[in-house]
Amino acid sequence: MKTRILTGIVAFLVFLPFLIFSETIAFPIAMFICAVISTFEMMRCIGVHKNLWLTLPLYAVAAASPIMMRLVGAESYLPVAIAVVLLLMLYALSVTVFSHGKLNILQSSTALTVGLYIIAGFTAMVYLHDFHEGGKYLYLLSFIGAWVTDSFAYFAGRLFGRHKLIPDVSPKKTVEGSIGGMLFCVAAFVGFAFLYNALWRGEGTALPVWLMAVIGLLTSIVSQVGDLAMSVIKRQFGIKDYGKIFPGHGGFLDRFDSVLAVAVVLAVAFGIATGFAIL
């Protein structure tokens, strides 16, 4: 536990400058580094990391996507992103066909699906920062939602846990812990709304407290599903952690598994709210 806490503190201090200077190119650079490393960890888990024909295009997209989101903006980048996804689908199938049996369709499909999910998550964080005048604060909810849910689900589970949530996937998670994580995440999002409206919104639209409560609940559910989904993959391929770069925590994916899911859902939720002029 001590190693886990110390590693978490050091990792946060290393990452903090990128958050402080999030309005510069440093933030999307940090996201592309995380995206490339996380994509590699997933490819290694699946067992296709040595197949460069399949993986190199994914690494290239992982590196380019967060940078392009910052440089050209979501409105211009989204059509390009859709085209890239469609071409990657065709390309992955072609690589499988011409691999002469060295690559099966399950491996290539899993690599493509989860690789694009990872890339989308890190790119969504750049979008959340840039989509709105208050985005320089709102993107932090990706981390707040995931880590509040994870932390308080752990403590609530330790204190009150009696009923297993999904023991086949994660034996230690409990229903009581899950509910505790949801309650505290909603409270954190409501508290964030009050803080944002009081200190940061300037002349912009206030964050509706009711909306933030709903998004907080959705975020917590998605955070737990994202965590469990990554656990399913690890169990499927027989590994404990995706990496060893963070002692006591594992790899980048072990730290960002929930954050990725939250970032994608928040990007969609805030995008819809902006479209309906709620934000």
Side-chain angles (χ1 to χ4, degrees):
M1 178 62 73
K2 184 183 294 186
T3 300
R4 186 179 176 87
I5 293 172
L6 288 175
T7 302
I9 293 172
V10 171
F12 175 74
L13 292 176
V14 171
F15 200 61
L16 184 60
F18 295 100
L19 300 181
I20 294 173
F21 297 102
S22 62
E23 296 187 57
T24 71
I25 197 66
F27 183 63
I29 288 175
M31 292 300 97
F32 102 62
I33 292 172
C34 291
V36 171
I37 295 175
S38 297
T39 303
F40 172 77
E41 289 178 343
M42 180 55 69
M43 298 304 107
R44 182 174 58 190
C45 168
I46 297 169
V48 298
H49 60 292
K50 294 182 180 179
N51 190 323
L52 299 183
W53 285 105
L54 177 66
T55 58
L56 280 180
L58 286 172
Y59 300 147
V61 174
S65 191
I67 300 291
M68 293 300 294
M69 180 62 74
R70 170 61 57 87
L71 293 180
V72 305
E75 186 174 344
S76 298
Y77 180 60
L78 186 58
V80 176
I82 294 173
V84 169
V85 169
L86 294 175
L87 289 172
L88 279 175
M89 290 169 61
L90 179 59
Y91 177 79
L93 291 173
S94 301
V95 170
T96 307
V97 168
F98 292 105
S99 69
H100 302 291
K102 295 179 180 178
L103 182 69
N104 64 58
I105 192 65
L106 292 178
Q107 288 177 308
S108 60
S109 299
T110 304
L112 180 66
T113 302
V114 189
L116 289 175
Y117 165 72
I118 293 167
I119 295 166
F122 286 110
T123 304
M125 280 187 257
V126 180
Y127 167 78
L128 284 168
H129 184 285
D130 295 353
F131 85 107
H132 186 274
E133 61 185 8
K136 61 183 178 180
Y137 305 110
L138 295 176
Y139 84 101
L140 294 172
L141 289 170
S142 298
F143 303 100
I144 293 170
W147 292 341
V148 166
T149 296
D150 182 58
S151 299
F152 285 97
Y154 171 79
F155 289 119
R158 288 291 299 269
L159 290 173
F160 308 109
R162 296 293 184 273
H163 304 88
K164 298 297 183 183
L165 184 62
I166 309 179
D168 292 342
V169 176
S170 185
K172 295 183 180 180
K173 294 187 185 300
T174 63
V175 174
E176 293 81 2
S178 177
I179 294 172
M182 286 187 274
L183 291 175
F184 277 95
C185 187
V186 170
F189 271 54
V190 170
F192 184 93
F194 282 111
L195 190 64
Y196 177 89
N197 294 338
L199 301 177
W200 299 327
R201 73 182 178 94
E203 300 299 320
T205 305
L207 284 178
V209 174
W210 68 267
L211 177 65
M212 293 303 291
V214 171
I215 292 178
L217 178 60
L218 177 63
T219 292
S220 184
I221 294 171
V222 168
S223 173
Q224 295 181 59
V225 171
D227 182 18
L228 290 168
M230 288 299 176
S231 295
V232 166
I233 295 172
K234 285 191 286 188
R235 283 185 173 273
Q236 179 71 39
F237 290 96
I239 65 169
K240 182 178 182 296
D241 296 314
Y242 285 107
K244 299 179 180 179
I245 195 167
F246 301 118
H249 292 267
F252 273 77
L253 270 180
D254 296 290
R255 278 292 80 209
F256 286 98
D257 50 6
S258 301
V259 176
L260 296 175
V262 170
V264 170
V265 170
L266 285 181
V268 173
F270 284 134
I272 293 172
T274 303
F276 283 95
I278 299 175
L279 288 179

